[in-house]
Amino acid sequence: MSEKKETAAVGLNAASIWQTAVHKYAMFIALIAIALFFQWCTDGVLLAPMNISKLIMQNSYILILLGFLVALYSFICNRTVFGRHIYAVGGNERAAQLSGIKTRWVRFLVFVNMGLMAAVAGLVFSARLNAAAPSAGMMFELDAIAACYIGGASASGGVGTIIGAVVGGLVMGVLNNGMSIMGVGIDWQQAIKGMVLLAAVAFDIYNQSTK
């Protein structure tokens, strides 16, 4: 009987480790799969070395800014008290408040930061276009939300990483570029991205239900 229990425990432990690994690396697998799919559909145009090098050269200042922001916010989220407060408020605001965290102040600073990052994104986007328009950036919020969910953020809050959000953004970027190269209409692009978002949320809900 004890051997059966030990075998069952080992099996459950192995299944748990496998499930954790799948959930952890699912976004990387999704990125590679989508990139390879569009690489095949576009006859190698999407990931051609010339196109990639040209993209890097044209957006070098954006990559530098992105690297700085990723390093800064990764440090804030993982190495500071304020970062831990953000995760606590996101996970359970009531419990965070009862533990002494000033939840209203944390939420205020998070929304201020969101406005600041939106302003930075607007400046970068306007600089790339060499123009500014009130309608610029319409529906970018769909890409941003989908990127966060694909990157591992949870609908219940309190979960997610900066690196994960960046990887999710890469997934959405590859998806957008691939569909544009294939000549997919803008309406279908929005529909497909909406389905990707729904799939990411469904995966998150499934992940939460199996814990």
Side-chain angles (χ1 to χ4, degrees), residues 11 58 72 90 96 112 115 135 139 161 163 170 179 184 196-198 209:
Q58 290 179 345
L72 175 63
V112 168
S135 59
M139 296 304 295
T161 62
I163 297 297
L170 290 175
M179 289 190 295
V184 179
V196 170
L197 176 57
L198 289 175
S209 65

Side-chain angles (χ1 to χ4, degrees), residues 73 76-89 101-102 105-111 113:
Y73 282 96
I76 292 174
C77 290
N78 299 324
R79 301 292 182 180
T80 66
V81 175
F82 179 67
R84 290 192 289 271
H85 286 179
I86 293 175
Y87 280 109
V89 173
I101 297 175
K102 298 179 180 179
W105 180 244
V106 171
R107 291 182 62 186
F108 172 75
L109 290 179
V110 168
F111 279 108
N113 176 77

Side-chain angles (χ1 to χ4, degrees), residues 154-188:
S154 174
S156 59
V159 178
T161 62
I162 303 300
I163 297 297
V166 172
V167 174
L170 290 175
V171 171
M172 295 305 297
V174 170
L175 189 64
N176 287 330
N177 289 337
M179 289 190 295
S180 297
I181 293 174
M182 292 175 62
V184 179
I186 186 65
D187 294 334
W188 276 107

